[in-house]
Amino acid sequence: MIKPDAVENGHIGAILEKITGAGFNIVAMKYTQLSRRDAQEFYAIHKERPFFGELVEFMTRGPIVAAILEKDNAVDDFRALIGATNPAEAAEGTIRKLFATSIGENAVHGSDSDENAGIEGAFHFSGREVF
Ligand code: ATP
Ligand code: MG
């Protein structure tokens, strides 16, 4: 996902260029907005964390871009491309270093395993939206 902060700040095009330039193939994509229920479900793994309320507020405050990306070693390579959760700790040239503003408002989400990528892809897209 391209998160609401990056959409608000006009970074959709630049982020997609970084992603395709790094060799990812976009197999599904949409511009949409998460409801509270969507965000609570999507980030359910973090529901006991102190920042959960803030995370749900943030992720629902405006539109996002959701996409399914394909590449060999996609999970690890995408996490390398986006950089550390906290942009202050993200490597030079990473998407979060370039476009994120804080640990909470960090421009992009990436799946943390192939299994979760499958679950998260199915959360956003039906079979006929994946190419
Ligand atoms: P994501 O899952 O969004 O790709 P991540 O895997 O790098 O990010 P997680 O630990 O899964 O990081 O945290 C999920 C999201 O919760 C973060 O991307 C960020 O938006 C928010 N978050 C994480 N830690 C904090 C924190 N300490 N304070 C505020 N928000 C946080
Ligand atoms: Mg995560």
Side-chain angles (χ1 to χ4, degrees):
M1 286 186 283
I2 300 176
K3 295 182 177 184
D5 61 323
V7 173
E8 286 160 10
N9 293 329
H11 298 315
I12 293 175
I15 290 172
L16 291 177
E17 202 159 278
K18 292 281 286 180
I19 291 170
T20 53
F24 290 87
N25 192 22
I26 297 170
V27 299
M29 185 161 69
K30 68 169 71 161
Y31 192 50
T32 186
Q33 184 162 358
L34 299 179
S35 67
R36 290 189 66 79
R37 206 165 149 189
D38 291 333
Q40 284 165 349
E41 182 185 334
F42 192 91
Y43 280 115
I45 192 168
H46 296 305
K47 67 176 184 294
E48 307 303 335
R49 306 283 286 277
F51 57 81
F52 185 67
E54 185 188 326
L55 177 59
V56 170
E57 282 302 312
F58 164 58
M59 286 303 297
T60 57
R61 83 169 183 225
I64 59 145
V65 176
I68 301 178
L69 307 174
E70 234 170 43
K71 184 183 181 298
D72 288 344
N73 203 36
V75 167
D76 287 346
D77 286 0
F78 191 71
R79 296 196 70 90
L81 179 69
I82 69 179
T85 307
N86 185 350
E89 290 161 14
E92 285 305 322
T94 60
I95 290 175
R96 283 170 168 165
K97 183 70 171 189
L98 290 167
F99 303 116
T101 43
S102 68
I103 190 169
E105 304 202 1
N106 58 7
V108 282
H109 162 79
S111 301
D112 59 13
S113 66
D114 287 349
E115 188 190 357
N116 283 335
I119 293 167
E120 292 172 358
F123 177 90
H124 284 297
F125 299 98
S126 70
R128 55 183 288 277
E129 295 175 302
V130 182
F131 300 93

